[in-house]
Amino acid sequence: MNQQSPLARAATMDEARRVTLLNAVERKLLWISAWMIHHANHVRSNRDGLKVGGHQASCASVISILTALYFDILKPADRVAIKPHAGPVFHAMNLLLGRQSAERLSTLRQFGGIQPYPSRMKDGGEVDFSTGSVGLGVALTSFGSLVQDYVRLKKLAPEGLPAGRHVAIVGDAELDEGNIYEALLEGWKHDIRNVWWVVDYNRQSLDSVVQDRLFGRIEGLFRDMGWNVVTLKYGRKLQAAFARPGGEALRRWIDDCPNSLYAALTFQGGAAWRSALLAELGREEGLRAIIDPLTDDELAALMNNLGGHDIETLMEAFRAQDAAGDQPTCFIAYTVKGMGLPFAGHKDNHAGLMTKEQMEEFRSAMRIRPGHEWDEFEGLDISAEEMRAFIQSVPFAEKLTPAGRSLTSPKIPIPAVLPVPRVPAGRKLSTQAAFGEILAGIGRGEGEFAPMAACIVTTSPDVTVSTNLGPWVNRRGIFDRHLKNDVFRDAKLASAQRWGMSPEGQHVELGIAEQNLFLVLAALGLSDRLYGARLLPIGTVYDPFVNRGLDALIYGCYMDARFLLVSTPSGITLAAEGGQHQSVNTPLIGMAQDRLAAYEPAFADELAILMRHAFAHMQEPEGSSVWLRLSTRGLTQPERQLDPAQVIAGGYWMVPPAPGARIAIAYQGALAPEAMAAFETLRAEEPGAGLLAVTSPDRLHQGWLESRKRARGGPGAAPSWIETLLAPLAPGAGIVTLLDGHPAALDWMGGVRGQRIAALGVDRFGQGGDIPALYAEYGLDEAAILDACAELLLAPGN
């Protein structure tokens, strides 16, 4: 007998029965999500005695929305950013879908268990985008749509894989986040398609009730950005009441009711609603005929029958927009925070938890027997068999691939050696310029570089040319969903840049908002797992403005997105620009950020090794994103053969020290000339001194930490690379460290073997000037280095 597909079974089901079954799903999601949070706080033993927390009210407000989406409209290829405080509802849905276990639900907010907010890395492949209350997951849906278009227009996606819609369920308070509006504007520029944002408009934030008539501002902003806006304010019961005599007056009263009053009446219940309505509208003809026949509970249910809680209203709106086309759409769904719970509408309910007594009353109302709290279909009037068959029939229950919704893609082959720029005698080269030349060489797409070049995609927030991406863009073009000619080129006007745009281009040009850069990189860096097409994303940005987008950078790393970040120019070495364009703390950020390997090469040969490593490391299961901090300062390039493994490990001896040496200089990045000059003077007095090139304090420090962990596990652990590097120095030797950044980035080296450190660096904002003046002012010139060496050598006991 032929088995019907889930889509076919769904199409043949009676609509009224479907609504009944969806109402049952709502009921179960309300119970399971509330019980998960209650169990974590009041049933499970928590050793520290602290409140575990959770958001029962925030879960309750969005349950109908999620039910209508996941159990009626969404398809397996759709990618969703869940409202973070609704994480328990998400996990409850996966329990019903057979993709989560009751045992796992009981571990909410427990070590090794389900996370407070949905997390790709810690909660598994059913999470498309990690979310966490700051609007980043919302904005990422727009850029995910852009990346999906990119891989599909280039025919990189697996054959037969359907395109998906990108959906964000948004808490209305999240719309205060500025990155959402930066993303909206960027999305308008790129003509994004197939994006839905569903606003859970419960009109309550963490601390209070939101401003009245905020919906008007929200609607206007979205329409200005080319979005369709669908407002879902009233459910079927209220709409029926409005159609009766006196109903129009009731509608006007609700429309004009302040948010705070509406919330208070919701919390107080039917008697309060009746009193308020009679006081305001008691003389309106027909009103009493609407409300008098209703009990207090029925009146409360009528007044809270908002669009975001009415399954039929939601289904109708979602289906209509699904059929209407791919225009981005914002649904403003009116809801009640805490709907169905004892504290519904109370302004303090955001972090509120039901008491044990309230939970027992709730259990009774839900008909849940003790010991059956986690049963999927407990307490329903519908058989488990029918519920299970219905859930298996919904479109989202279909498998996207045999392995599920998390996709894979083969690795991109990376040539063993990247093209190192040839530097004529007497010419100097900066790492920023070398980066541009190496990438341009790859961009030729010749021979073994062809597969790699086809998969590189670059992006930059309005600094494409000034970060040396220009030659790459000239060769590979700018990506746009539509063909746009380069007007200057067509008019035969001289220009170094060819800015023609087309679907064939491989550079995504952004506005100046750095948050958008890191969100685009996050989406590009997840392309293999979301869209089945592996890319090699590269993003360039001015080093000081990494801070401007740091929240989104951390977010991308938290999701294990894989990309190459190139930040340049860096430090005070961009001397004439002044403090606003100079960076101090970025080496420390690189050391502290998880799932991001940070490097700062000084020379082009180091850079070529590290770029090759980055392209390979980004693709390894245990790899990560990579950050290259570069400079505009031109340096004379040495002729030599480097050991790539040492450069990648974080450092190498440019001049090895003699055994038992008393002093060494360790430099990082653009300060190589000052370090070398000081070293030549130093070794006239100390012939055994060493000169250490540090390419990554991050990798050296991380390796040291891992070695210490292994050592605590027992004897015989291999030493870290930094321990091996420093081993030739005398136990009490001095090391002068210097970098164009905060000195703490290298200061820790003194703790490796107990050697003394004089750490030179920049610990305050810079000012305009030339390099000699600034290096002298901040103690980074040759004289300052030699003074630090003398201080260490002349110290008592040395």
Side-chain angles (χ1 to χ4, degrees), residues 529-542:
R529 285 151 284 177
L530 293 178
Y531 314 116
R534 190 183 297 273
L535 299 172
L536 297 174
I538 303 173
T540 64
V541 63
Y542 289 176

Side-chain angles (χ1 to χ4, degrees), residues 17-74:
R17 190 57 181 171
R18 171 178 290 277
V19 171
T20 299
L21 292 166
L22 288 170
N23 290 152
V25 170
E26 287 180 283
R27 183 182 179 91
K28 286 309 305 179
L29 295 180
L30 179 62
W31 164 257
I32 296 171
S33 60
W35 177 253
M36 282 179 68
I37 297 167
H38 182 82
H39 180 273
N41 285 275
H42 296 302
V43 179
R44 192 175 70 210
S45 175
N46 296 302
R47 293 176 297 176
D48 55 18
L50 298 177
K51 173 185 174 182
V52 177
H55 301 90
Q56 288 174 329
S58 292
C59 287
S61 71
V62 79
I63 278 171
S64 300
I65 294 170
L66 290 177
T67 300
L69 285 170
Y70 276 86
F71 296 89
D72 187 68
I73 199 71
L74 290 183

